[in-house]
Amino acid sequence: MTDNTTRLDHVVLWVSDPAAAAGFYEKVLGLEPLRVAEYTEGKVSFPSVRLNEETIFDLAPLTLAERMNVVPDADKSAGHPVNHVCLALPEADFEALRTRLEEHGTPVSDIGYDAFGARGKARRSFYFRDPDGNIFEARHYGEEGADKAGTAEER
């Protein structure tokens, strides 16, 4: 990656079992696991999963909290997930993710329409939790879902 514009590099999620969390993100969300073997062998402090070529989620064990005091009281964030992380997906991947979540027994919210985000209005979105309670929103942008979803005024 040679483009040095401002981008999201990584998000650190507190998890109770990093290897199990990596399994969830791989099997249910379809993300590539990174450094899981090294983590289970004790060679690295946490594994990660790749969201795309530029962004990863680090899966930090709660036991790492005491070493994460990089600013005053940073260690107190352990166990307090962020409000939510939003994943923007193409429509087919959005549908496939919802199906995988349901197949794995992961509760999902109702579909929402026309929510504002980084790329403008998203056609559809829904929310779900990972096994550690971190909340995610999945959405897709573009007109490909317009025929099925209708506009906000039509609903």
Side-chain angles (χ1 to χ4, degrees):
M1 181 89 215
T2 57
D3 182 349
N4 288 320
T5 59
T6 302
R7 300 181 186 281
L8 179 64
D9 184 81
H10 69 278
V11 174
V12 178
L13 301 172
W14 291 115
V15 299
S16 58
D17 182 340
F24 171 84
Y25 287 101
E26 177 183 17
K27 292 178 183 90
V28 182
L29 274 66
L31 304 183
E32 174 191 357
L34 304 171
R35 305 178 345 144
V36 177
E38 294 91 332
Y39 171 74
T40 58
E41 294 166 3
K43 294 178 181 175
V44 297
S45 300
F46 54 86
S48 304
V49 290
R50 181 163 298 288
L51 177 64
N52 58 40
E53 69 180 41
E54 301 176 351
T55 308
I56 62 174
F57 294 139
D58 292 334
L59 306 172
L62 294 171
T63 56
L64 192 61
E66 63 191 36
R67 294 177 28 205
M68 297 297 290
N69 211 14
V70 293
V71 295
D73 296 327
D75 59 324
K76 293 184 174 98
S77 74
H80 299 282
V82 297
N83 180 273
H84 73 277
V85 175
C86 183
L87 307 173
L89 307 164
E91 183 177 15
D93 294 346
F94 174 89
E95 299 291 350
L97 172 59
R98 189 170 177 91
T99 298
R100 283 194 311 273
L101 288 164
E102 290 170 342
E103 288 172 353
H104 283 84
T106 303
V108 295
S109 73
D110 291 337
I111 298 283
Y113 299 91
D114 299 326
F116 180 78
R119 300 179 196 173
K121 283 189 177 182
R123 295 298 303 151
R124 297 181 300 156
S125 63
F126 68 88
Y127 295 83
F128 63 93
R129 289 183 189 271
D130 76 0
D132 289 283
N134 294 299
I135 300 171
F136 286 83
E137 176 185 0
R139 62 171 48 193
H140 76 85
Y141 289 92
E143 296 300 318
E144 64 272 9
D147 293 335
K148 290 184 242 175
T151 64
E153 294 78 28
E154 294 170 335
R155 280 187 301 285

